[in-house]
Amino acid sequence: MKTFYSPAHLDHAPPEEFEGGRMNPAVEVPRRVEGVKAEVERRKLGPILAPEDFGMSPIARVHDAGLVRFLGEASELWRKCYGEDAPPAIPSSWPARGLRNRFDGDVESRLGTYAFDTATPIVKGTWAATLAAVNCSLSAANTVAEGERAAFALARPPGHHASADVFGGYCYLNNVAIAAQWFVDRGMKPAILDVDYHHGNGTQSIFYSRSDVLFVSIHGDPSFAYPHFLGFADETGEGMGEGANLNLPLPMYSPWDVYSAALDTALARIRAFGPDVLLVSLGLDTFEGDPISRFRLRSEDYLRMGERLATLKLPVHFQFEGGYNLDALPAITANVLEGFVSS
Ligand code: 6XA
Ligand code: ZN
C-alpha cells in the first residue's frame, strides 16, 4: 500500500490551544505524523511517496472561495495587526445570534466568521501544510482510482471538522471531502466512513443534501463529546440527501464490543449504498489511552477494525485524522492498515 507524506506539516506546529478556560499544550503536533511514518517504514507496509500538486480547483469544488482566501492570507494579516512575532491567530469574538457575519472585515472579524472554536490556531506554516495535506489526500485518491486496493494519506492538519465555509477542530480544509468529490468528478460513487472519536461535522455538512456520497460516522455522543453541536442520531440527511447520512453516537467509555456492533451497522449501511470506493476518516483517538477522548479500544482492536473493513471488498482511501496518544499512535494506526492489507 502506498503512503503519501509531505514534510510541509512540520511548519504547522501551534504550541498551544485555548481550552477549558486556559492555554493548554497542543496535542495535534508534528510528532503524530512522524511517529506513524516511522512505523509504516518499520513494518514495511509499502512505499512512502511525495504527493503530486493538484492545484486549487479540487479545493474549489468543496470549499467556499472566501474561506480559502482568508486561510491563505490570515497569518500575514494577523502579523500585520499584532506584530511579526505575534502568537498564533485565534479568534476571540464570534458573530453569534443577533450579530452580523462579516466576510470582508478586519482579521479579527473574519477569524470569528470563519472559525468555530479556539482550538485551531493559524501560524505562518499553516497554509502550506494545509495545501500539502490536500495534495496527499488527492494523491491517495488518484492511486486508488488507478486501481490500487488501498492508499494512505498520512497528513496533518486533519480535515473532518472543516465544512465548506467554516474551519475548526484542528482542521482547515476537509481532506477527505475534497477526495470524495474528486472521485465523484471521475464518475465514481464514494462512501465515507468516519471512525474518529469525534463526529466529522464538516464532512457531514458538505454532503448533507446530496445522495451521491454516503456519510457514516461512529463517534462519542455529542451530548458529551466535541464538536457538541452536530453528530446526533436524528441527523439523517436532507432533501435529495435524506437517508445518505448515518450517525452512530456511542456512550462514554465504549469498549470494542460496543464499537464493533456499531461498525457492523455502519458496514451494512455502506453495503446497501453500493459504493465503488470507500474513504475512511481514520481517527485513532478511540484508543483507551487517548488524552482527549473517552472510548476504550485496545491496540489489538485496530487489527480487527482493519480486517472488518476488508470484508467490504472495496478499494479504500485511508485518511489520517485525530489520535493523540503519541506512544500508541504509530502501532494502532499501522494495526488498522495491516489488518486491512493482510486479509
Ligand atoms: C478541541 C477538540 C478538537 C478535537 C479534534 C479531533 N478541543 N477531531 O480530534 O477529530
Ligand atoms: Zn478526533
Side-chain angles (χ1 to χ4, degrees):
M1 179 178 41
K2 290 177 181 163
T3 291
F4 290 92
Y5 164 90
S6 160
H9 83 91
L10 296 168
D11 293 325
H12 169 65
E16 296 175 310
E17 64 174 278
F18 186 74
E19 164 105 13
R22 63 162 76 97
M23 293 306 290
N24 289 315
V27 297
E28 204 293 283
V29 293
R31 232 183 95 196
R32 300 176 59 243
V33 155
E34 294 302 300
V36 173
K37 175 172 175 269
E39 184 69 5
V40 167
E41 282 162 350
R42 197 182 69 77
R43 292 203 202 178
K44 301 193 179 5
L45 291 176
I48 296 181
L49 305 168
E52 278 174 55
D53 184 0
F54 288 78
M56 298 305 290
S57 56
I59 294 173
R61 294 285 293 136
V62 163
H63 286 286
D64 170 80
L67 170 69
V68 175
R69 186 160 22 89
F70 178 61
L71 290 174
E73 62 191 23
S75 172
E76 202 184 322
L77 294 174
W78 181 260
R79 284 180 287 116
K80 268 196 193 129
C81 190
Y82 293 112
E84 203 43 43
D85 297 325
I90 298 179
S92 50
S93 178
W94 281 268
R97 278 180 300 289
L99 299 174
R100 281 166 61 172
N101 276 288
R102 296 187 61 224
F103 302 99
D104 51 5
D106 68 354
V107 66
E108 283 286 358
S109 70
R110 285 164 84 198
L111 265 178
T113 289
Y114 285 116
F116 74 88
D117 69 11
T118 54
T120 318
I122 294 175
V123 298
K124 253 188 197 171
T126 299
W127 184 233
T130 300
L131 293 178
V134 168
N135 282 322
C136 285
S137 180
L138 289 164
S139 298
N142 202 30
T143 299
V144 168
E146 280 172 356
E148 296 261 340
R149 184 175 169 229
F152 179 31
L154 175 55
R156 53 178 290 280
H160 72 151
H161 294 301
S163 69
D165 61 355
V166 188
F167 73 97
Y170 314 148
C171 304
Y172 304 85
L173 295 178
N174 194 317
N175 305 311
V176 87
I178 293 166
Q181 181 63 48
W182 190 92
F183 282 120
V184 170
D185 291 341
R186 264 137 208 87
M188 296 175 73
K189 185 177 180 186
I192 303 170
L193 173 62
D194 191 321
V195 297
D196 191 281
Y197 172 81
H198 304 95
H199 176 251
N201 60 286
T203 315
Q204 167 170 313
S205 91
I206 286 165
F207 297 113
Y208 204 58
S209 56
R210 289 171 52 171
S211 59
D212 55 346
V213 179
L214 174 70
F215 179 68
V216 179
S217 179
I218 308 169
H219 50 269
D221 194 307
S223 62
F224 62 85
Y226 184 96
H228 310 295
F229 303 103
L230 211 64
F232 297 91
D234 63 356
E235 297 157 12
T236 56
E238 68 185 8
M240 295 277 288
E242 183 61 58
N245 195 90
L246 176 63
N247 283 331
L248 300 167
L250 300 182
M252 223 177 265
Y253 310 128
S254 290
W256 174 247
D257 60 338
V258 173
Y259 194 94
S260 147
L263 186 57
D264 285 342
T265 305
L267 297 186
R269 184 70 192 79
I270 292 166
R271 271 190 203 97
F273 181 70
D276 47 28
V277 60
L278 177 69
L279 298 98
V280 177
S281 263
L282 184 58
L284 293 306
D285 37 15
T286 48
F287 179 63
E288 59 180 350
D290 193 89
I292 69 165
S293 309
R294 289 188 276 187
F295 277 0
R296 297 221 165 126
L297 271 56
R298 294 162 177 264
S299 186
E300 62 272 21
D301 300 333
Y302 293 92
L303 278 168
R304 305 291 93 76
M305 187 187 288
E307 291 163 4
R308 201 76 70 80
L309 293 173
T311 64
L312 286 174
K313 306 270 183 251
L314 287 171
V316 176
H317 168 127
F318 288 100
Q319 181 70 50
F320 195 55
E321 302 277 5
Y324 308 98
N325 184 310
L326 295 174
D327 296 331
L329 187 61
I332 61 180
T333 308
N335 279 357
V336 177
L337 304 176
E338 197 174 311
F340 181 85
V341 296
S342 67
S343 49

